[in-house]
Amino acid sequence: MSHLRIGLIGAGGIARAAHIPGWSSVPNAEIVAVCDVNKGVAESLARDFNIPHVFTDFRDLVKLDLAAVDICTPNRVHTPSVLAALGAGKHVLCEKPLAVTTGEVKAMAAAAKKAKRLLMTAQHIRFTDKITALKGFVQSGNIGDFYHARVHAVRRNLLPTSPGFIDDRLSGGGPCMDIGVHALDSALHIMDFPKPVRVTGKTAVNFAKGNDIPGAWGEWDRALFGVEDFASGFVHFENGATMVLEAAWLQHQSEGEDFSFHLFGKKGSVQWPSNTYSSAVNRVLIDGRAVPTAGLKAAHTEEIIAFAKAIREKKPSPVPVEQTLIVIAILEGIYRSAKAGREVRIKL
Ligand SMILES: NC(=O)c1ccc[n+]([C@@H]2O[C@H](COP(=O)([O-])OP(=O)(O)OC[C@H]3O[C@@H](n4cnc5c(N)ncnc54)[C@H](O)[C@@H]3O)[C@@H](O)[C@H]2O)c1
């Protein structure tokens, strides 16, 4: 089994909480370098996990002899670091959203093709026990062709407070990009990525500039807040299917967090995260549940294991960039439509 030397770019919350444990579950893989513009943050991670090389500029990290680079920086830093890593001949795993525009995703896809290296978006929810079970069930044909999807990523008072999320110059979007991307990617994964053709979107700042809703993750800088706190979209797909998408960090609702979808097919419908399905056979109404797959590790860990396996076995990316392009095209379309005040066409 080949030894995988890994470089980590961005040493903040998700790197420490999910990517470090993920890589520690991959046999014969080792994080040998870490980079963060905040030197103290990089040094602290290096100290805690015995990482020998520390950098503050990702262009220096990618010069090392590495199999792959794992990118956990704020959204708008993804593109330059992904392109630098691919340009240096490294495989790349990058946090979501891979980029905030389709132009950037296309540039990354071209760079990965040219370098003959894997590019994978860290859409960890695909690797959860529930989505894995639901995907297998839907692939059996029991739900039939999908004609509509309701997709939610809405929170009552969970607004991430760091500049990387609320400063548009770093994040490139609010909850639509941050959490809409999760629910949307998961729903499209189950639907087998139909091609979107048109979208109508709306974005708003309803509560984040005020003080009515107390953030459960603490206070945020109201002046720096430059993204939406609510977004909604209506999507038309080439095959005639439609989708309603809602994303929010702050709003009046009883659930602290509602990450969910309900996908309607001609033979039945499926819901996540309940994993329930509803159908009818011979005029008998049926309800059931796709039981979560037993024995899976944490989703980020499964995702990193899948990435390492694809590198070693020279297999395609477990999250193909063509699928990420569809996800980002829809999210970008919501912002474009909101700005234009009308429906917009999606060109992939
Ligand atoms: N999959 C998930 O569940 C999940 C959860 C949280 C965050 N994320 C994603 O992970 C990424 C990082 O989020 P986070 O919560 O760890 O944020 P964070 O703010 O905690 O950490 C980001 C780190 O990147 C560093 N950084 C900024 N610019 C840099 C640059 N040019 N070069 C190197 N380092 C740089 C910052 O100093 C910071 O330490 C975001 O894209 C976010 O959307 C994913």
Side-chain angles (χ1 to χ4, degrees):
M1 186 186 291
S2 59
H3 181 61
L4 297 181
R5 287 164 54 87
I6 308 300
L8 185 63
I9 303 178
I14 200 67
R16 187 177 276 270
H19 290 247
I20 294 267
W23 281 109
S24 72
S25 295
V26 178
N28 210 16
E30 185 189 4
I31 298 181
V32 296
V34 57
C35 167
D36 199 294
V37 279
N38 185 331
K39 197 173 180 203
V41 169
E43 284 175 342
S44 152
L45 198 82
R47 222 176 11 255
D48 292 348
F49 298 99
N50 295 319
I51 302 171
H53 300 284
V54 174
F55 299 95
T56 53
D57 187 330
F58 59 77
R59 284 165 292 226
D60 294 328
L61 177 142
V62 303
K63 286 181 196 153
L64 290 186
D65 173 22
L66 304 168
V69 170
D70 182 356
I71 296 167
C72 297
T73 56
N75 303 344
R76 284 210 201 258
V77 187
H78 293 174
T79 302
S81 40
V82 166
L83 292 177
L86 289 170
K90 277 58 177 181
H91 298 290
V92 173
L93 174 67
C94 180
E95 263 303 339
K96 44 52 62 175
L98 181 61
V100 298
T101 65
T102 48
E104 291 166 274
V105 176
K106 286 177 184 172
M108 291 183 200
K113 194 171 172 194
K114 186 171 170 214
K116 297 193 173 62
R117 291 293 180 270
L118 293 182
L119 172 58
M120 172 174 171
T121 314
Q123 296 291 174
H124 73 283
I125 291 179
R126 290 192 195 196
F127 298 87
T128 56
D129 53 358
K130 288 189 172 182
I131 291 288
T132 305
L134 212 50
K135 180 74 182 164
F137 175 61
V138 168
Q139 275 174 329
S140 69
N142 281 307
I143 299 302
D145 294 339
F146 290 108
Y147 63 87
H148 184 63
R150 263 184 222 147
V151 183
H152 290 168
V154 290
R155 291 171 170 165
R156 184 174 198 170
N157 63 339
L158 292 168
L159 184 151
T161 56
S162 81
F165 291 87
I166 65 172
D167 182 345
D168 186 49
R169 292 166 300 184
L170 289 172
S171 67
C176 186
M177 276 294 163
D178 178 38
I179 51 178
V181 70
H182 279 307
L184 175 60
D185 180 83
S186 309
L188 290 171
H189 172 59
I190 300 296
M191 296 168 80
D192 246 348
F193 281 90
K195 190 177 165 199
V197 287
R198 289 179 285 138
V199 60
T200 307
K202 166 79 183 165
T203 60
V205 184
N206 293 316
F207 302 103
K209 292 281 189 188
N211 276 302
D212 283 347
I213 303 183
W217 289 331
E219 286 303 319
W220 60 95
D221 183 339
R222 267 58 173 184
L224 191 65
F225 192 91
V227 293
E228 82 285 356
D229 62 18
F230 171 81
S232 60
F234 189 86
V235 187
H236 293 266
F237 295 91
E238 195 176 58
N239 63 6
T242 51
M243 174 186 282
V244 174
L245 173 68
E246 294 172 17
W249 279 335
L250 294 173
Q251 67 178 4
H252 298 305
Q253 60 180 48
S254 59
E255 311 94 331
E257 182 171 86
D258 167 17
F259 269 38
S260 62
F261 58 64
H262 196 161
L263 309 179
F264 298 86
K266 293 284 174 65
K267 293 206 256 172
S269 79
V270 287
Q271 296 191 63
W272 170 79
S274 63
N275 268 34
T276 48
Y277 73 91
S278 300
S279 183
V281 177
N282 290 339
R283 297 178 54 80
V284 177
L285 302 180
I286 297 170
D287 289 322
R289 188 168 81 99
V291 177
T293 310
L296 292 185
K297 299 183 199 305
H300 266 108
T301 297
E302 290 290 346
E303 154 206 292
I304 288 169
I305 289 171
F307 177 62
K309 190 165 185 279
I311 294 174
R312 285 186 168 134
E313 296 180 4
K314 299 190 176 10
K315 293 272 169 58
S317 171
V319 178
V321 70
E322 297 74 21
Q323 296 180 354
T324 295
L325 180 63
I326 288 178
V327 172
I328 300 304
I330 291 173
L331 299 178
E332 181 188 51
I334 289 174
Y335 289 106
R336 279 171 49 222
S337 165
K339 202 169 166 199
R342 59 172 170 76
E343 181 183 84
V344 294
R345 293 211 156 265
I346 292 183
K347 287 194 209 102
L348 291 171

